[in-house]
Amino acid sequence: MEPCASDEFFQALNHAEQTFKKMENYLRHKQLCDVVLVAGDRRIPAHRLVLSSVSDYFAAMFTNDVREARQEEIKMEGVEPNALWALVQYAYTGRLELKEDNIECLLSTACLLQLSQVVEACCKFLMKQLHPSNCLGIRSFADAQGCTDLHKVAHNYTMENFMEVIRNQEFLLLPATEIAKLLASDDMNIPNEETILNALLTWVRHDLEQRRKDLSKLLAYIRLPLLAPQAMSCSSEKCLLSRLLIMTVGTINLLIYFSCSLTNRI
């Protein structure tokens, strides 16, 4: 009696990995490519299917009835060429080298291409790099890219280490709008209100001609009742500068009250 035949299922080992290795080989030899990405002076041949399988940005571009879906060349405006090439390679290999000198370009490009895993990896990398000398820049960059978790971590780091942050160049180079955001925060780790006042006036003195017009608005963030009485004594010539600053923005009465809070601590 002959045995009954039965259905069987075969699962190839490492099938997806081997397939992508073959696709990577096609990429490097520029074979079977059906699109060219143009960033600056760099031309990057690639395969629509691979790009679409990894990037929601490319998936939307190539699977919908839009002009780019029919174009052989796609201009990637405002994209850093090396970052784009690194992320195209990532689409084929799943590997990406993160370094201090390329991390911001990679993150901004990954945000554009909607590569969520890369965005997360870049954000974690930047979180590990936080330092009083760079946390303000990372905080601002995260805000611009819409990376809320990174922005929150960088902001908290800034508040916790505010005394060290204000001693660094990044603080002195902040625009008035960012200074206002910092002064409006209630969670600064500082010993007293005088610290904030001194930091503000140090920032103004860094570019006096341009910044004195912002002083009157920024002084509104200083909580005068919290200034210690001893902070009102004045024996430094810096007090004269404080008076000058306030007079130039038309808030003379306010200066009379607290300009002498500046001491040799600045």
Side-chain angles (χ1 to χ4, degrees):
M1 185 175 180
E2 295 182 1
C4 296
S6 60
D7 294 337
E8 292 185 5
F9 291 94
F10 167 72
Q11 176 65 56
L13 297 177
N14 303 321
H15 175 74
E17 181 179 353
Q18 292 175 4
T19 299
F20 269 93
K21 281 185 177 180
K22 178 68 74 173
M23 294 297 295
E24 180 190 2
N25 188 59
Y26 289 146
L27 173 70
R28 297 197 177 280
H29 291 86
K30 301 180 181 179
Q31 295 176 318
L32 302 179
C33 297
D34 56 3
V35 69
V36 176
L37 305 179
V38 181
D41 296 330
R42 186 157 193 173
R43 298 169 58 85
I44 303 174
H47 305 88
R48 296 173 189 264
L49 180 61
V50 175
L51 297 180
S52 299
S53 66
V54 176
S55 163
D56 290 340
Y57 174 88
F58 285 123
M61 178 183 292
F62 296 142
T63 62
N64 289 289
D65 186 20
V66 295
R67 181 182 57 188
E68 290 82 0
R70 298 181 295 274
Q71 290 179 332
E72 293 183 359
E73 292 189 2
I74 307 296
K75 290 186 178 181
M76 305 295 293
E77 300 290 350
V79 174
E80 203 282 320
N82 292 331
L84 180 61
W85 171 236
L87 291 173
V88 167
Q89 292 181 92
Y90 164 81
Y92 290 78
T93 66
R95 298 188 301 273
L96 186 64
E97 184 178 13
L98 307 180
K99 301 184 295 183
E100 286 187 32
D101 60 356
N102 74 352
I103 191 66
E104 290 192 357
C105 287
L106 286 177
L107 178 53
S108 60
T109 307
C111 288
L112 171 67
L113 302 182
Q114 300 176 46
L115 299 170
S116 57
Q117 289 184 311
V118 175
V119 170
E120 183 179 355
C122 290
C123 288
K124 288 182 178 179
F125 181 92
L126 285 171
M127 289 176 189
K128 296 176 183 178
Q129 302 299 314
L130 283 169
H131 184 270
S133 65
N134 66 20
C135 59
L136 289 172
I138 293 176
R139 175 177 173 271
S140 178
F141 181 71
D143 188 34
Q145 298 302 321
C147 300
T148 54
D149 289 344
L150 176 59
H151 180 269
K152 181 179 179 180
V153 171
H155 175 77
N156 291 342
Y157 182 94
T158 299
M159 295 297 99
E160 180 63 27
N161 299 276
F162 192 75
M163 294 295 294
E164 290 77 24
V165 170
I166 59 179
R167 299 190 185 104
N168 285 275
Q169 187 75 358
E170 274 196 348
F171 177 78
L172 296 177
L173 297 179
L174 285 177
T177 53
E178 289 301 312
I179 290 292
K181 290 179 183 178
L182 288 177
L183 298 181
S185 300
D186 294 325
D187 49 355
M188 290 182 188
N189 182 21
I190 54 173
N192 50 51
E193 193 72 9
E194 184 185 359
T195 300
I196 302 179
L197 175 60
N198 291 347
L200 170 59
L201 293 175
T202 299
W203 175 84
V204 173
R205 288 202 310 274
H206 186 73
D207 189 359
L208 179 59
E209 291 302 315
Q210 293 297 320
R211 294 176 176 177
R212 56 185 172 187
K213 67 180 184 299
D214 300 312
L215 185 57
S216 59
K217 293 180 180 179
L218 295 175
L219 285 172
Y221 294 99
I222 304 300
R223 293 168 289 192
L224 298 180
L226 297 184
L227 291 174
Q230 58 266 31
M232 302 305 168
S233 62
C234 179
S235 59
S236 169
E237 62 181 17
K238 293 176 183 176
C239 293
L240 298 177
L241 175 59
S242 301
R243 291 190 179 94
L244 176 61
L245 288 173
I246 302 299
M247 290 173 65
T248 58
V249 294
T251 52
I252 299 176
N253 290 335
L254 188 57
L255 173 64
I256 293 174
Y257 180 75
F258 70 81
S259 63
C260 290
S261 64
L262 284 180
T263 65
N264 292 328
R265 284 178 249 181
I266 299 181

